[in-house]
Amino acid sequence: MGDGGSSITPRIGSMKTLLGIVAGAGASYGIYKLLTGGSFRRSKKSVGNEGPASRSSQGSSRPDSLLAKVSGLDLVSPQSERTDDATGDIIHQSAGNLEPQHLKMLLTCLQTSNSVADRCRLLLTLGNAAAFTVNQNVICECEGIPIICGFLSDPAPEVKVQTLNALNNLCMNIPNQERVKVYVPQILELIEMAAVNSDVQLAALRLLTNLSVTEKHQHLLKDSVTLLLSLLVVGDVTLQVQTLKVLVNLSSNPDMMDDIVQAQAPASVMLLFDVQTSSKVLLRLLTFVGNLKSWRPSAQVAEELRCKRDCLFRVMLDELSGLHGRLVQLLSHPDREIQAQVARILT
């Protein structure tokens, strides 16, 4: 830790104890909800949209086991290390009863950390803490979102991943999305520059999925459609599924349709309409196409789009695209849900 954190680090006996308690919060909350039959509070979404998904750790609610599974730090017990009153309070309190000062301490340590491993652990812990609505609010009030977003430019890919995961949980809170949305261009750049199928790409796409659940921020992604379509033809199944979640969300909004159909698309995307394509991918791809098919351009607009080389309309939606023939072949797909989706599109 740098000099800026010197007034904090010694008294917490340590940061390790604080990390252990806070990291356990996300998992303990999940166990509590499982036992009580409850669920995470989520934003209301339109039919067909891919809803938000939080990234929280799971496991035993005991701090020592949580530390091993979640943050990777050794638990520092009061018996093994001398602590002051503040540290004792942190150690003995319930994992679900975090105080604002604990989150402030974590944010301060994050800003002064010179270690990649420590930054990853701090971000992981903050992300788990953000499984609680009250902590989402506190982190926002402490100006934690711009602090965390600052690590989107960290040179270490693993730090970028933990940053994106923390933001993903924070964006379960709709007001927090207002603060995160300004970083969308940077998030898209991360996707474009990262290695294909990397954890960075997946984490960024998960965040964009949450941001695009409602129509409020979808316009921020109107210029990203070509990038998303490109990922479909180069990515593995996991990346394809996550990419399609974003595309399905965008195509559920009629106001986004003009931007989507005009976007440049690789011709090879048509090859995905095949029985050999993963069912998980094909189901979402058909949902995407079904949304596109609900758009009805005028004759003039359709003709203008036909003149745009390689645009999505020409590649996938035009009568000469070959989509109809590929859909007919999928009527004999062994998955009945896929058969039903194809039938709905064709009729």
Side-chain angles (χ1 to χ4, degrees), residues 114-278:
N114 294 318
S115 164
V116 169
D118 283 349
R119 291 200 295 278
C120 285
R121 291 165 183 167
L122 286 160
L123 287 162
L124 173 61
T125 305
L126 285 164
N128 284 336
F132 294 89
T133 300
V134 63
N135 291 337
Q136 294 167 2
N137 294 334
V138 170
I139 290 172
C140 179
E141 291 165 4
C142 293
E143 296 299 325
I145 291 178
I147 291 173
I148 293 172
C149 285
F151 291 89
L152 288 171
S153 58
D154 194 284
E158 57 268 41
V159 173
K160 291 186 177 78
V161 170
Q162 295 303 335
T163 299
L164 291 162
N165 288 343
L167 292 175
N168 187 38
N169 274 6
L170 286 166
C171 280
M172 297 291 286
N173 183 318
I174 300 299
N176 284 351
Q177 293 185 5
E178 290 295 322
R179 291 174 177 258
V180 174
K181 70 178 184 180
V182 298
Y183 298 94
V184 166
Q186 190 174 355
I187 294 167
L188 289 171
E189 185 178 3
L190 285 179
I191 294 174
E192 188 171 6
M193 301 302 294
V196 176
N197 301 323
S198 65
D199 290 339
V200 171
Q201 283 191 333
L202 286 171
L205 287 167
R206 282 192 293 264
L207 176 54
L208 293 183
T209 300
N210 281 358
L211 283 172
S212 62
V213 169
T214 64
E215 297 180 358
K216 191 169 185 180
H217 307 305
Q218 290 176 349
H219 66 282
L220 299 173
L221 301 177
K222 67 179 183 179
D223 295 327
S224 69
V225 177
T226 294
L227 171 62
L228 296 172
L229 292 171
S230 298
L231 292 177
L232 283 183
V233 300
V234 299
D236 60 15
V237 171
T238 303
L239 190 74
Q240 288 173 326
V241 168
Q242 203 62 54
T243 300
L244 282 164
K245 287 181 179 182
V246 181
L247 287 170
V248 167
N249 283 354
L250 298 182
S251 62
S252 297
N253 181 359
D255 293 337
M256 288 290 296
M257 206 60 70
D258 287 350
D259 295 299
I260 294 174
V261 298
Q262 293 184 70
Q264 189 173 10
S268 54
V269 73
M270 294 296 294
L271 299 177
L272 293 174
F273 294 94
D274 186 88
V275 70
Q276 299 299 323
T277 298
S278 165

Side-chain angles (χ1 to χ4, degrees), residues 32-150:
Y32 166 76
K33 283 299 185 180
L34 180 62
L35 293 174
T36 59
S39 60
F40 287 112
R41 186 176 300 171
R42 300 188 177 190
S43 59
K44 188 174 181 180
K45 60 181 184 293
S46 58
V47 176
N49 280 20
E50 295 283 357
S54 65
R55 303 286 296 174
S56 61
S57 302
Q58 297 181 6
S60 166
S61 58
R62 291 181 55 192
D64 53 350
S65 60
L66 281 170
L67 235 44
K69 294 179 180 179
V70 180
S71 69
L73 292 172
D74 296 329
L75 181 63
V76 179
S77 66
Q79 291 77 17
S80 63
E81 183 168 336
R82 182 177 179 274
T83 60
D84 59 15
D85 292 340
T87 307
D89 289 342
I90 295 172
I91 292 172
H92 291 103
Q93 72 172 326
S94 166
N97 187 29
L98 299 172
E99 298 294 336
Q101 64 264 28
H102 303 151
L103 296 173
K104 290 179 182 178
M105 290 174 182
L106 289 169
L107 290 167
T108 299
C109 290
L110 179 62
Q111 290 177 285
T112 58
S113 173
N114 294 318
S115 164
V116 169
D118 283 349
R119 291 200 295 278
C120 285
R121 291 165 183 167
L122 286 160
L123 287 162
L124 173 61
T125 305
L126 285 164
N128 284 336
F132 294 89
T133 300
V134 63
N135 291 337
Q136 294 167 2
N137 294 334
V138 170
I139 290 172
C140 179
E141 291 165 4
C142 293
E143 296 299 325
I145 291 178
I147 291 173
I148 293 172
C149 285

